[in-house]
Amino acid sequence: SPPDSFKSEGKEIKMARSAKTALVLCLDVGFSMSNSAPGQEPPFQQAKKVIQKFVQRQVFAENKDELGLVLFGSDNTKNNLAKDDQYQNISVHRQLMIPNFELLEEIQNDVHPGSQQADWLDALVVCMDLLQNETLGKKYERLNIVMLTDLNTPSSPDQLDIIIGNLKRAGITLQFFLPFPVDGGGSNPPHGGKALSREQQQGLEMTKQVMMSLDEEDGLEEVYTFSDAIEKLSVFKRVEKRPMAWPCTLTIGSSLAIKIVGYKAVCEERPRKSWSVVDAQTHQKDDIKRDVVYCLNDDEETEVQKDDTIQGYRYGSDIVPFSKVDQDQMKYKTDGKSFAVLGFTKQSMINRHQFVGTQVLKVFAPKDDEHAGVALSGLIRALDDLKMVAVVRYVYARNGNPQLGAAFPCIKEKYECLVYIQLPFMEDLRQYSFPSLENNKKYTPSEDQLSAVDSLIDSMMLVEEDKDGVKKDLFKVNHIPNPQYQRLFQCLHHRAVNPSAPLPPMDPWLTTALQRPLAVATRCQAPLEILKKKFPLKEVVKKKELKTSKELFGNSCLGTGRSNQIYLYSPSYITMQVKA
Amino acid sequence: MAQWNDYHHEDEDVDGEERDESGVDYKSTGRDSLVFLVDASKEMFIMGEDEEPSPFDMTMQCVRSVYTSKIISSDKDLVALVFYGTEQSKNPRNSFKHVYIYHDLDLPGARRVQDVDGLRGEKGAQVAGETMGSGNTNLGEALWCCSNLYSDIKLRLSHKRLMIFTCRDTPHGGDSERDRQARTKASDLKETGVVIDLMHLMKPGGFDVSLFFCDVVSPPEDEAELGLQMEPCGKLEDLQKRVRAKEMKKRSVARLNLCLGEGMNVAVGVYITALQARKPNAIKLYRDNNEPVRTKTRLYHTQTGSLLLPSDTKRVQVYAGRQIVMEKDEVDVIKKFSDPGLELIGFKPMERLKLHHHLRSAVFIYPEEEMVTGSACVFTALLRRCSVRNVFALCKYTRIRNSPPRFLALVPQKEEVDDGQAQIAAPGFHGIFLPYADDIRTLDTPQLPTASESQVDKMKEIVHKLRFKYRSDAFENPVLQQHYRNLEALALDLMAPEHIEDLTMPNVNMIDQRLGSLAQEFRDLVYPADYNPEGKTAPKRKPAEAAGGTEKKPKVEMSEDELRGHVQKGNLGKLTVPVLKDACKQFGVKVTGTKKQELIDALTAQLTK
């Protein structure tokens, strides 16, 4: 799979919060890193971007992971091992620390390409030394070195075995970020670039050797290209929340009970932090106070004290004083959590468009209870065979509001569960009726028109079969990160580092990710033109709105022109998602 | 299969009453108004066969359910109840004979619900006979009287509707002069924007609309609807359905363009058809007169005390110790991605829509021919083909200017009508909100053994025994119902709120009875003898005795303000000893004794310091 992140995040979600990673970024700033084919970004700039995006992500994640930065090929030398002519032009720029905005600014302003070269293996040794010295006596979940280089320096392979031995002993993992792909090297020049130099070919061989010795099977998967990494790291990763278990008992009548555990499986994720209001001058929250006053509905708007008010509710035309105490005593009460089956009904009786609520629960048996597992499996499989669902009363906790919901059977290759979704109460439904579209001659499309619609659908199918008969989805919404938060974090980061600059334009990859895939956009052009001819549409302009409509019309012309240009960007993000 | 109610009420008397029609909190722009014009002639009081309620009784049940639903869902709407064909007359200046205004055009309240209750059933018929009686019919006069109701209202009315409930197709018995007068008055009303509906009820020999009423009622919304209204209602349920469908004005939450591609914009309305109804917020009342007070929020500078304008503030988030500052406008504008609208991305086979991809209530999409002519035709073609080919349309949805985009699966729904020609499924697309990557959580799924065939088969028997026919409108929200019954009781000074039946509670006895030995058999198949499926996890409690009962009441925390209020008014005595004790603890009041008065004195002393 493509690099989703450096090893400091990723699969460790389940571990205790205290577990932290120590990670050293080892960046080649040697002069060959500035070389690039005309029109291409030099490897140094690409590598710097990778680092910036990664550090930025770490800063916003606000975890305890520590980060060091080592530059090699630098004009100066600053490291513990430097002696005589050894370990020259390697500079420890920053010791292990929790990353912050200062580090980001340093990278932006102080990390420049150098005019020297240094052996990347030497740099690796410096990083190992740094990691071992600074983590001594402290507990870390993982030690990791991230090497960003073009491998364009001669290195001596004699020490390689010793280095590998030391890495293994210290439990240090490695990741490589290169300007070219690990398997596309050799004499074939990678996408339009130069062929690899002899040093690079040799370096690549050594890289492979190191990585394979650390992890025989998946070692090479930890070697990435700069461009892949930039793309992946552009996506702000949400901070994973530990799923909260909801233990309960599923009951069918009074004599059948199955122990269960529910987890939120789908739910609209919101950012952890919200905006607070501050004084525009001082930027201090405490300088502002919000104050609520109560006043009578008279002409003078006479103010009254809060103490002189009581609580009430409207009941149609009546206003009923109803104190909190009374209300609490008279209100509907539930006695604790519940997942009680009321009965079973056909799945076809449940309309998915009538689902309410804001979450989906997946219900399993507790992981150490195989008897419950078997019992629940019995229910799940019975429901699945019969195409039925359980209608249940769900109460989250004592005095929580009861819900009515459907528990659907869900059988996957790796697990079985019930999927619980809330159903509406009668009060939640608006039973509107709409004029028929079928029996209205004015709106009845001709056969000709229907077939035009058919060709549009054909040209715009997002799921297609490739030549091996494998179905491919060109647009998976559940693979797109929520654009609202991507944009928010992009702006937050930009503003944090450039406090006085205006907000940046939207990341192009984000705009592209939200649009019709290029292939579909191209394919549907012709059917769309036909459709336009077959279905005359005319905007009804109301007299009052005439002027604004004109303005709108002008704007929308501009808008579509712009979005057309955006279609021309390669939707690489989406294709990447499909691959993943 | 049994209907839910029958299933739930097995071994009980099926009581089909009190189907309050209710809806959701809904932001309305204007006031809707609805006048019930009900025939009070003798024919209306004749009971149907098999103890079917009389047309009058059915109408009153309908009126009641509309009243209560308005209170819950749209408490700004105005409703009136007027009878015609009465012996007595009651209207301003009594200028209209045989017209009885029972309720003026106003908000429905508890008293009115009670009034209508009084007209239900046999006793109600008696009451109606005594107060109004049955007499001559002059529908023209009645319509005139109703038009005065509308013109007397000072508020702006956005939607005016009048429903005539009758079982007589020739109300004036062939008096052509009165027929003509009624038609004239009806067209006057329609000219002022009143929509007139006929809710005609079963009559021996059939109800012939063409004899008279076809010229009185408003023309249908579209030509296709013409056929629908011809069947009279014989059942309460049908009548309620028909009234319900008409009674609420459809309001779209947005009117947008569905953009199929550049230069191809179809106008659509976005409607909400299911949304969780919640208890309304409490309002603050002035203690002395129980009148609502208004709240004003002010921002001021802590140091200088000067009032601040919104422009005197900025917005801040803190990350890694650094304050990141933005203008309010910037915070808003970063949420903007595109102009409001629905943008077609493409189509996918229906099986690609995953059941568990659910985030919030769906929306309903229907064409807006008045905005872009031709929209309905494109829409219909798209709806038909999507439906036939079993595909959904994937769209990007931007509701308002600064709302970030969400993706919707537009699932086609064909129109369906029931035997009585009432619509049960409207034609249009349901817009299902799809989750983004962030909205889907990674779960650690347990590895557990699965059930054997015999175990599954036993469970199938259990499932079989407990089948019922689910209907989405069969379950009332017990929390809301209890809340409104409480308010009703307080408003009407009832001794206790009317009992609510909690339909979300499993009928344990019925289930146990139906399962018989099956439960034990299944347990024997899946659980070892020493296994207790109810162990460890919270002990199972017996279902609550009706509302409260014996269980210990949870501690109620009182705010200081409330307590002060009690002290000032001197009605601490009305609180119970445990509540007072808790209050003492809460406010750190030391008490030496445990007598009620001692507690009250201690609290009073503390709070009047």
Side-chain angles (χ1 to χ4, degrees):
Chain A
S1 67
D4 189 31
S5 57
F6 293 111
K7 272 195 179 153
S8 84
E9 357 171 2
K11 295 147 201 161
E12 280 72 51
I13 317 151
K14 289 152 240 157
M15 281 172 204
R17 284 217 161 262
S18 63
K20 55 183 174 184
T21 295
L23 176 145
V24 179
L25 298 169
C26 185
L27 174 65
D28 188 349
V29 298
F31 66 81
S32 68
M33 287 286 281
S34 301
N35 297 340
S36 64
Q40 281 201 344
E41 209 174 16
F44 172 79
Q45 293 303 338
Q46 290 189 306
K48 186 164 160 174
K49 261 190 207 164
V50 171
I51 289 185
Q52 282 176 315
K53 291 202 182 275
F54 173 69
V55 174
Q56 175 185 313
R57 182 182 274 200
Q58 288 295 97
V59 170
F60 277 103
E62 293 189 316
N63 54 26
K64 295 272 176 333
D65 293 349
E66 292 174 10
L67 210 95
L69 177 60
V70 172
L71 308 177
F72 66 104
S74 54
D75 294 348
N76 65 328
T77 301
K78 191 181 131 201
N79 67 72
N80 286 339
L81 305 177
K83 218 168 91 184
D84 304 327
D85 60 342
Q86 287 199 304
Y87 298 101
Q88 292 303 296
N89 301 108
I90 299 173
S91 151
V92 177
H93 191 86
R94 195 184 173 112
Q95 312 278 344
L96 278 185
M97 278 172 75
I98 292 175
N100 51 21
F101 283 103
E102 284 69 37
L103 176 62
L104 269 177
E105 279 159 350
E106 274 171 42
I107 295 171
Q108 182 171 300
N109 303 322
D110 306 339
V111 174
H112 303 294
S115 55
Q116 303 291 323
Q117 287 282 63
D119 184 344
W120 61 270
L121 275 179
D122 283 350
L124 183 59
V125 174
V126 170
C127 292
M128 288 162 66
D129 177 65
L130 177 77
L131 265 184
Q132 281 178 313
N133 285 334
E134 294 198 18
T135 58
L136 212 65
K138 288 190 269 181
K139 240 186 125 177
Y140 290 86
E141 188 52 47
R142 161 171 266 150
L143 306 176
N144 190 39
I145 295 172
V146 177
M147 182 67 76
L148 303 102
T149 176
D150 63 353
L151 299 171
N152 217 349
T153 45
S155 358
S156 51
D158 0 319
Q159 301 289 309
L160 204 55
D161 288 340
I162 302 173
I163 293 175
I164 291 171
N166 281 335
L167 281 171
K168 280 188 178 167
R169 233 187 327 279
I172 296 175
T173 54
L174 260 187
Q175 284 173 298
F176 274 86
F177 289 78
L178 309 175
F180 41 80
V182 66
D183 43 5
S187 52
N188 294 331
H191 50 281
K194 293 182 297 184
L196 298 186
S197 67
R198 234 189 56 215
E199 288 79 15
Q200 286 176 318
Q201 289 180 30
Q202 188 204 5
L204 200 55
E205 283 315 307
M206 283 159 63
T207 305
K208 284 184 189 168
Q209 196 185 334
V210 177
M211 294 310 282
M212 306 272 272
S213 351
L214 291 180
D215 184 344
E216 205 174 327
E217 274 180 24
D218 302 322
L220 291 187
E221 286 183 12
E222 296 295 340
V223 185
Y224 310 107
T225 64
F226 291 152
S227 52
D228 259 8
I230 292 171
E231 203 149 19
K232 259 296 183 184
L233 287 167
S234 293
V235 182
F236 283 88
K237 231 184 131 195
R238 77 187 143 153
V239 180
E240 289 267 3
K241 279 186 199 152
R242 275 183 76 176
M244 274 277 287
W246 180 74
C248 191
T249 308
L250 181 152
T251 56
I252 304 175
S254 67
S255 52
L256 193 49
I258 304 173
K259 268 194 233 175
I260 53 165
V261 182
Y263 293 95
K264 250 185 213 182
V266 180
C267 177
E268 221 167 301
E269 198 64 45
R270 304 193 182 278
R272 275 183 312 162
K273 296 192 173 176
S274 56
W275 295 98
S276 45
V277 181
V278 297
D279 180 72
Q281 254 78 52
T282 59
H283 293 181
Q284 290 301 306
K285 198 155 75 176
D286 295 342
D287 284 346
I288 285 188
K289 225 184 147 205
R290 186 181 296 272
D291 175 41
V292 181
V293 289
Y294 302 91
C295 53
L296 299 181
N297 250 331
D298 53 14
D299 293 339
E300 290 81 37
E301 297 199 324
T302 317
E303 249 180 65
V304 296
Q305 291 307 302
K306 194 184 174 207
D307 292 358
D308 291 329
T309 63
I310 50 171
Q311 185 187 265
Y313 286 93
R314 274 185 201 284
Y315 185 79
S317 56
D318 305 304
I319 291 169
V320 184
F322 196 12
S323 77
K324 242 199 165 96
V325 183
D326 287 341
Q327 201 192 337
D328 282 334
Q329 292 199 352
M330 290 171 77
K331 77 176 182 192
Y332 179 90
K333 294 180 192 79
T334 55
D335 58 343
K337 49 170 81 169
S338 155
F339 200 81
V341 173
L342 304 183
F344 300 95
T345 197
K346 280 190 190 144
Q347 282 176 22
S348 58
M349 293 294 214
I350 311 272
N351 288 320
R352 107 152 268 167
H353 62 262
Q354 288 187 330
F355 288 172
V356 293
T358 53
Q359 62 172 27
V360 173
L361 293 185
K362 283 192 174 174
V363 176
F364 304 91
K367 66 171 179 291
D368 50 1
D369 190 337
E370 51 183 68
H371 307 304
V374 172
L376 192 64
S377 166
L379 176 60
I380 293 165
R381 290 179 173 217
L383 291 176
D384 192 61
D385 280 357
L386 298 169
K387 303 247 175 314
M388 294 188 82
V389 296
V391 175
V392 300
R393 167 190 164 94
Y394 165 96
V395 183
Y396 177 73
R398 190 181 171 80
N399 281 329
N401 290 341
Q403 285 180 11
L404 184 82
F408 292 86
C410 167
I411 300 179
K412 297 265 168 142
E413 210 176 302
K414 289 197 177 128
Y415 64 91
E416 294 177 0
C417 67
L418 289 173
V419 170
Y420 169 83
I421 305 174
Q422 193 183 349
L423 294 173
F425 285 119
M426 196 236 300
E427 294 89 339
D428 306 336
L429 297 171
R430 296 239 138 190
Q431 281 156 337
Y432 292 143
S433 61
F434 288 82
S436 172
L437 293 172
E438 284 293 313
N439 309 328
N440 193 319
K441 283 196 197 78
K442 249 192 332 199
Y443 307 148
T444 308
S446 65
E447 280 308 311
D448 204 27
Q449 285 174 319
L450 286 173
S451 74
V453 168
D454 265 337
S455 4
L456 182 78
I457 295 177
D458 287 334
S459 71
M460 291 185 76
M461 282 310 286
L462 295 167
V463 180
E464 46 191 30
E465 263 181 45
D466 65 9
K467 48 187 183 299
D468 304 322
V470 180
K471 281 196 179 148
K472 223 172 62 170
D473 195 331
L474 298 178
F475 201 95
K476 280 191 169 176
V477 178
N478 57 329
H479 284 186
I480 303 175
N482 189 335
Q484 183 183 358
Y485 308 137
Q486 296 301 319
R487 176 74 179 140
L488 173 68
F489 282 114
Q490 185 207 358
C491 292
L492 280 173
H493 170 245
H494 186 270
R495 182 54 55 86
V497 192
N498 315 281
S500 53
L503 296 176
M506 187 116 36
D507 263 339
W509 73 263
L510 186 57
T511 317
T512 313
L514 301 175
Q515 268 162 347
R516 206 176 271 183
L518 185 63
V520 175
T522 318
R523 240 173 19 208
C524 72
Q525 282 307 322
L528 205 58
E529 285 310 314
I530 297 171
L531 203 68
K532 266 190 242 177
K533 287 198 192 95
K534 302 265 179 201
F535 289 95
L537 290 166
K538 196 161 171 280
E539 204 171 330
V540 181
V541 184
K542 283 187 192 145
K543 262 193 182 157
K544 254 195 282 177
E545 292 169 5
L546 202 64
K547 206 183 154 207
T548 41
S549 297
K550 245 183 202 165
E551 285 163 10
L552 270 176
F553 187 64
N555 280 343
S556 70
C557 271
L558 224 145
T560 44
R562 202 186 304 134
S563 65
N564 241 6
Q565 272 183 350
I566 292 164
Y567 280 141
L568 299 178
Y569 285 110
S570 142
S572 50
Y573 176 71
I574 294 166
T575 42
M576 191 174 67
Q577 290 293 8
V578 173
K579 261 186 275 161
Chain B
M1 265 186 275
Q3 297 271 337
W4 169 249
N5 243 311
D6 308 345
Y7 169 87
H8 187 77
H9 288 102
E10 197 167 79
D11 307 324
E12 286 178 42
D13 278 335
V14 177
D15 177 6
E17 280 190 359
E18 285 175 5
R19 312 260 94 205
D20 296 14
E21 200 288 325
S22 314
V24 288
D25 284 334
Y26 210 65
K27 277 189 192 117
S28 60
T29 46
R31 298 282 184 108
D32 283 2
S33 61
L34 174 60
V35 173
F36 294 108
L37 182 55
V38 182
D39 187 355
S41 63
K42 290 204 169 63
E43 288 89 333
M44 287 289 283
F45 292 92
I46 299 168
M47 296 248 274
E49 291 161 27
D50 306 329
E51 306 272 305
E52 280 278 326
S54 70
F56 187 86
D57 197 3
M58 266 167 45
T59 305
M60 286 309 109
Q61 294 197 34
C62 255
V63 171
R64 184 200 200 272
S65 83
V66 171
Y67 272 20
T68 49
S69 94
K70 289 277 182 200
I71 288 171
I72 295 178
S73 65
S74 30
D75 62 2
K76 298 280 189 295
D77 293 359
L78 307 176
V79 191
L81 176 59
V82 180
F83 294 100
Y84 72 96
T86 53
E87 180 62 44
Q88 305 299 320
S89 308
K90 186 180 166 218
N91 49 68
R93 298 179 299 281
N94 276 336
S95 46
F96 303 107
K97 294 274 169 285
H98 309 296
V99 181
Y100 197 103
I101 301 180
Y102 206 75
H103 288 147
D104 218 336
L105 201 53
D106 201 351
L107 303 170
R111 190 68 61 192
R112 287 188 165 197
V113 175
Q114 211 179 29
D115 290 346
V116 176
D117 273 338
L119 293 174
R120 284 165 55 185
E122 259 177 76
K123 219 172 157 200
Q126 213 179 326
V127 172
E130 282 161 16
T131 50
M132 305 179 292
S134 300
N136 271 327
T137 300
N138 189 335
L139 194 59
E141 296 258 289
L143 289 170
W144 194 346
C145 177
C146 291
S147 77
N148 287 351
L149 288 179
Y150 288 113
S151 51
D152 287 347
I153 292 293
K154 298 279 180 300
L155 298 158
R156 201 173 66 87
L157 296 175
S158 57
H159 182 65
K160 293 181 269 190
R161 202 173 264 278
L162 186 143
M163 289 182 182
I164 303 174
F165 291 78
T166 183
C167 60
R168 296 185 296 158
D169 47 11
T170 50
H172 306 120
D175 182 336
S176 58
E177 177 52 26
R178 285 194 171 181
D179 279 359
R180 194 191 54 79
Q181 200 195 339
R183 279 196 287 263
T184 315
K185 281 295 154 209
S187 70
D188 287 353
L189 268 173
K190 285 183 276 188
E191 229 159 75
T192 60
V194 178
V195 179
I196 303 178
D197 290 316
L198 177 64
M199 294 296 155
H200 49 320
L201 301 142
M202 211 51 109
K203 134 182 193 294
F207 195 108
D208 190 349
V209 179
S210 66
L211 288 178
F212 168 69
F213 274 103
C214 59
D215 297 328
V216 170
V217 298
S218 297
E221 276 183 83
D222 67 320
E223 52 191 272
E225 220 182 341
L226 258 179
L228 301 188
Q229 298 187 318
M230 292 309 165
E231 291 291 313
C233 285
K235 284 203 197 95
L236 177 65
E237 206 180 303
D238 294 341
L239 183 66
Q240 282 183 328
K241 221 188 274 175
R242 200 172 284 192
V243 170
R244 197 182 293 167
K246 293 273 182 193
E247 165 253 312
M248 259 187 302
K249 168 95 180 128
K250 298 188 284 277
R251 275 213 185 80
S252 54
V253 287
R255 301 211 290 175
L256 316 155
N257 279 336
L258 165 61
C259 179
L260 302 184
E262 210 196 318
M264 183 93 192
N265 289 321
V266 177
V268 295
V270 180
Y271 299 84
I272 289 177
T273 55
L275 186 74
Q276 269 173 281
R278 292 180 195 287
K279 212 154 60 176
N281 292 333
I283 47 174
K284 287 249 181 286
L285 309 176
Y286 186 47
R287 182 188 300 285
D288 289 359
N289 57 7
N290 283 349
E291 289 288 329
V293 294
R294 292 197 300 126
T295 52
K296 283 198 290 192
T297 310
R298 292 185 306 206
L299 274 186
Y300 62 92
H301 199 274
T302 324
Q303 258 105 61
T304 65
S306 57
L307 281 180
L308 294 174
L309 294 169
S311 56
D312 296 325
T313 63
K314 287 188 178 177
R315 302 292 179 270
V316 154
Q317 284 196 17
V318 179
Y319 277 95
R322 180 168 295 193
Q323 264 201 335
I324 306 172
V325 186
M326 283 192 203
E327 302 283 348
K328 165 94 171 60
D329 291 350
E330 291 177 316
V331 171
D332 291 337
V333 88
I334 54 178
K335 285 189 252 163
K336 182 182 172 156
F337 283 72
S338 38
D339 290 328
L342 278 160
E343 210 177 296
L344 178 65
I345 303 291
F347 300 88
K348 287 189 191 186
M350 275 307 289
E351 79 257 14
R352 288 274 156 167
L353 182 60
K354 299 282 175 261
L355 177 88
H356 64 278
H357 283 178
H358 162 75
L359 288 178
R360 39 171 126 151
S361 302
V363 289
F364 186 73
I365 314 281
Y366 188 83
E368 289 275 348
E369 188 72 8
E370 314 86 78
M371 279 173 70
V372 176
T373 356
S375 292
C377 187
V378 187
F379 190 94
T380 308
L382 202 60
L383 186 65
R384 275 210 212 166
R385 295 319 295 164
C386 284
S387 175
V388 168
R389 300 181 56 165
N390 205 25
V391 296
F392 68 85
L394 182 69
C395 284
K396 186 168 80 180
Y397 173 48
T398 308
R399 194 173 70 85
I400 48 171
R401 206 159 55 94
N402 284 342
S403 64
R406 273 279 166 193
F407 286 91
L408 292 184
L410 297 191
V411 178
Q413 173 172 285
K414 289 175 80 174
E415 185 184 16
E416 276 176 62
V417 292
D418 66 8
D419 303 338
Q421 293 294 299
Q423 192 173 59
I424 45 176
F429 286 99
H430 290 292
I432 313 281
F433 286 85
L434 298 176
Y436 286 120
D438 312 57
D439 304 325
I440 295 172
R441 305 206 176 173
T442 14
L443 299 180
D444 202 12
T445 54
Q447 299 298 311
L448 290 164
T450 53
S452 69
E453 206 169 306
S454 62
Q455 289 162 334
V456 174
D457 286 343
K458 188 54 73 185
M459 184 50 90
K460 280 185 188 167
E461 286 180 53
I462 291 176
V463 170
H464 225 78
K465 288 278 186 214
L466 302 177
R467 283 182 313 163
F468 76 102
K469 213 169 180 175
Y470 169 81
R471 271 186 41 182
S472 56
D473 57 359
F475 296 87
E476 289 175 329
N477 183 341
V479 177
L480 273 186
Q481 291 299 332
Q482 184 68 59
H483 178 71
Y484 283 106
R485 298 297 156 83
N486 290 345
L487 291 181
E488 193 181 50
L490 290 168
L492 296 174
D493 286 326
L494 304 180
M495 290 299 282
E498 209 181 319
H499 172 70
I500 67 149
E501 188 186 7
D502 186 355
L503 291 165
T504 68
M505 280 307 258
N507 187 339
V508 175
N509 291 338
M510 181 270 287
I511 291 176
D512 289 349
Q513 224 168 61
R514 285 206 184 184
L515 291 187
S517 61
L518 281 173
Q520 181 63 47
E521 286 161 33
F522 182 76
R523 282 209 312 264
D524 291 345
L525 279 172
V526 294
Y527 295 147
D530 59 345
Y531 178 83
N532 176 12
E534 287 162 60
K536 264 196 223 162
T537 40
K540 208 182 141 246
R541 291 190 187 84
K542 283 197 183 130
E545 310 297 336
T550 52
E551 64 160 346
K552 209 179 151 193
K553 290 203 177 79
K555 226 196 230 172
V556 182
E557 279 227 322
M558 209 182 327
S559 76
E560 195 177 337
D561 290 339
E562 279 179 49
L563 195 65
R564 273 184 202 284
H566 285 300
V567 172
Q568 273 171 8
K569 290 185 110 183
N571 52 14
L572 273 180
K574 288 188 179 169
L575 302 176
T576 61
V577 173
V579 172
L580 289 169
K581 273 188 182 167
D582 283 344
C584 287
K585 258 186 229 157
Q586 198 182 330
F587 297 102
V589 179
K590 288 211 178 79
V591 268
T592 42
T594 51
K595 293 228 174 69
K596 188 165 184 176
Q597 196 52 48
E598 289 171 306
L599 296 169
I600 293 172
D601 291 344
L603 274 171
T604 313
Q606 172 83 11
L607 288 168
T608 47
K609 261 182 203 165

